Every structure is written in C-alpha cells, then in structure tokens.
C-alpha cells in the first residue's frame, strides 16, 4: 500500500462546500500518516484526465470530495483498477454516500473513516451500473423526473434547487404518462405507459428520495421501480411518499429485479447519478463488485 492518496476535488460542489471540505479531509489523512495530493480540473473532462493519471501513477486511493457528480467522475477513473474509492460527500444530493451509510457534509469524519479503512486494508465491494462505457452508482432515471432535470438545466434563474422545484411545477402542468418499451434481462419486450422508470443500483436519488427502497449495492441486481400511468392528482398524492419509500405499496407502482434492462421511449433523456447520459434507448447492466469503497 502506497502512503500517498489523491483528493479528487470539485471546488464548486454544494455551493462552494467542496473547496472548504478538502482541508479537513486532507488533515485527517495526514494525521493518519498519509501524504496527500490534490487534483482539481479546469472542467469535467480535464478533471477526469487528471484523476486517471493519478490512478495510473499508483495512488493508494482516489478520494472524491464533492457530490454524486464528482463521485460519478471518480468511478470512471478507477473502473477496471484495484484503486479503492474514498468518499467525502459534501454535495447537494450525496445519495451514493447515503446508500453506503457514509458521513454526509462532515469532511473530517469522512476523511478519518476512509483513512482507517485504508490503513486496515478494509473496503467494501460495491456493484455499479454500466451503460456503454459509462458507470453509475445510484439510479438511472427515465421519464417525468428526467424531464424535470432537462427543464431545470435549461433554466438560468433562479439558482440552486429552487429552479428544479419550479421545473417540476412546469412539467406537472403539461403532465401525461409516456409510452415505454422495456426488456428485463433477455425476456420479451414489454410495452407500458408509465410516469417514470427508475433503475436502482442504489436506493435513492435527488437528495434522499428513496425511489428504489429495496435496492442493495452488493446483490448483483438492479431494483427497477415503474410508476405507472398515474393521473396528475395521483402523482401528487404518491410522490411525497418517495422519501420514506412507501410509494412502492401503491397499486400504480411495480418493482422488478434484474441484472440487465433496456429502456426505450421517444423524447426522454436518461440521467444517472444526476448526470445526463443521452436520449433513450439505453441498456444498463449491473456489474457485481465493480469497485472497492473505503467504507470501514
């Protein structure tokens, strides 16, 4: 085990929390006897290139400091390597850390936990989703939720999460279910009118919305939540239950477990870990034990 670790920092995560979080996280590693190198890219492409260079250079761990988007970049950098991933979750959603039971918005505690795990050579093997050459850790979202993301990303004002609240209201005004075609594993193609389809490697997205409450990151399977052809009124009644995961008990909601899924619908963009992947159709496969996470 090398004594050097790499902090992979998004300085803008959580409205600037990423820049401040790097310092206590680095201090925790140094107190544990590690030397610390920090990587900050000029943009996502440059950051990923620098992270991959650190991994190829033999860093002892790649520690993502930021939110789910930064962790998603880190996953691309360590794919197919033995380099463990540390997580200092200081973003807006932090759903990957939440799924793993890691500290949230406590960079010193996150650093201490990851340092202990690295010194003790203990880590947790975690599944990932794979779509083409892209990996994701939490949820692939398709449908009403991804349309809200599309609209929110196009809005310049207001800032922060409030614009996504406004985007949701705008999408509700024009709401109607979407005609999907889905294929689970190698089974037949199913046609279904649905409000949304969420493919969960992890259980939550959007900062704690437990859209796939039964999903586990170490079982080699996705949990697929299909919210059916709801009316606007039904959606408004059901959607708040997502924070407790009790929406899956509603008769309009079905859950499937599968290692592979193809999702197709016109005019829908897929989002994974909150990042746009492109228009459907998309095929996602679960990759068992794809990454080792410093989780104690």
């Amino acid at each position: 085990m090398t004594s050097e670790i790499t902090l992979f920092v998004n300085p803008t995560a959580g409205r600037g929390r990423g820049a401040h979080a790097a310092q206590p996280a680095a201090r925790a590693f140094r107190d544990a006897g590690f030397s610390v190198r920090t990587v900050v890219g000029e943009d996502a492409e440059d950051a990923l290139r620098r992270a991959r260079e650190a991994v190829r250079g033999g860093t002892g761990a790649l520690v993502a400091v930021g939110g789910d988007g930064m962790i998603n970049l880190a996953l691309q950098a360590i794919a197919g390597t033995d380099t463990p991933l540390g997580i200092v979750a200081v973003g807006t959603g932090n759903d990957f850390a939440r799924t793993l039971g890691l500290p949230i918005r406590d960079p010193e505690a996150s650093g201490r936990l990851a340092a202990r795990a690295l010194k003790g050579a203990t880590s947790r093997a975690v599944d990932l989703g794979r779509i083409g050459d892209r990996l994701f850790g939490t949820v692939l979202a398709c449908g009403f939720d991804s349309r809200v993301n599309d609209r929110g990303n196009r809005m310049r004002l207001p800032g922060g999460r409030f614009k996504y609240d406004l985007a949701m209201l705008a999408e509700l005004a024009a709401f109607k279910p979407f005609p999907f075609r889905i294929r689970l594993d190698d089974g037949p193609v199913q046609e279904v009118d649905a409000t949304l389809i969420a493919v969960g490697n992890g259980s939550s997205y959007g900062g704690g919305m437990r859209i796939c409450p039964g999903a586990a990151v170490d079982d080699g399977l996705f949990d697929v939540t299909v919210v059916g052809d709801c009316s606007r009124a039904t959606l408004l009644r059901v959607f708040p239950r997502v924070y407790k995961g009790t929406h899956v008990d509603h008769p309009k909601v079905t859950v499937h477990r599968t290692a592979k899924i193809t999702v197709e619908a016109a005019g829908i963009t897929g989002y994974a870990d909150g990042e746009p992947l492109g228009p459907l159709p998309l095929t996602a496969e679960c990759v068992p034990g794809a990454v080792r996470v410093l989780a104690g």
Side-chain angles (χ1 to χ4, degrees):
M1 179 190 72
T2 179
S3 62
E4 182 189 84
I5 65 98
T6 301
L7 290 185
F8 187 38
V9 181
N10 179 2
T12 64
R15 298 186 182 181
R17 282 191 296 266
H20 298 292
Q23 298 172 17
R27 185 167 55 248
F29 276 101
R30 291 190 180 106
D31 289 347
F34 294 95
S35 60
V36 178
R37 175 189 176 196
T38 300
V39 167
V40 181
E42 295 179 0
D43 52 30
E45 183 178 350
D46 182 56
L48 179 55
R49 179 184 61 78
R50 292 169 186 255
R52 283 174 167 157
E53 287 177 355
V55 171
R56 285 195 297 267
T59 188
L62 186 66
V63 182
V65 182
D68 288 322
M70 196 62 176
I71 293 168
N72 183 273
L73 272 183
L75 295 177
Q76 316 313 311
I78 62 176
T81 76
D82 293 327
T83 304
L85 172 68
I87 296 173
V88 179
V90 291
T92 302
N94 304 310
D95 286 290
F96 196 53
R98 185 176 282 106
T99 291
L100 295 171
L102 297 175
I104 293 173
R105 301 195 184 106
D106 189 341
E108 186 174 358
S110 298
R112 288 199 306 265
L113 185 151
R116 285 198 303 269
L118 193 55
K119 288 191 77 170
T122 59
S123 58
R124 180 179 180 183
V126 171
D127 304 340
L128 296 175
R130 181 174 61 209
I131 300 172
D133 60 355
R134 291 289 302 275
L135 297 164
F136 68 93
T138 58
V139 176
L140 166 64
C142 313
F144 176 76
D145 42 7
S146 59
R147 291 290 286 269
V148 170
N149 260 327
D150 281 340
R151 184 180 289 269
N153 290 343
R154 292 194 301 267
M155 294 168 63
R156 297 183 62 185
L157 294 172
R161 294 184 64 86
F162 184 55
K163 70 178 179 180
Y164 292 99
D165 295 335
L166 292 180
M168 180 177 290
L169 291 174
E171 286 297 324
L172 276 171
F175 171 75
K176 62 180 181 179
F178 308 98
F180 282 94
R181 290 163 55 88
I182 63 173
R183 187 180 188 190
L184 306 175
D185 291 323
D186 295 320
V189 173
Q190 304 175 43
E191 297 187 357
V192 56
D193 288 339
T195 302
L196 64 87
I197 295 176
V199 181
N201 181 57
S203 59
S204 72
Y205 65 0
M209 292 189 288
R210 302 184 67 236
I211 188 68
C212 301
V217 292
D218 55 5
D219 63 353
L221 295 171
F222 296 128
D223 274 32
V224 179
T225 299
V226 180
V227 180
D229 56 343
C230 294
S231 66
R232 187 183 294 111
T234 299
L235 179 60
L236 287 170
R237 287 196 302 271
V238 172
F239 201 75
R241 294 166 57 178
V242 76
Y243 286 96
K244 293 185 177 180
T246 57
H247 61 290
V248 296
D249 298 326
H250 193 277
K252 285 290 186 180
V253 179
T254 56
V255 178
H256 309 275
R257 307 192 78 225
T258 186
K260 179 181 177 181
I261 181 172
T262 298
V263 187
E264 182 177 356
I268 300 293
T269 299
Y271 281 76
D273 294 342
E275 301 296 313
L277 291 177
L280 303 186
L282 293 171
T283 297
E285 297 182 70
C286 186
V287 185
V291 64
R292 294 189 298 123
V293 177
L294 298 173

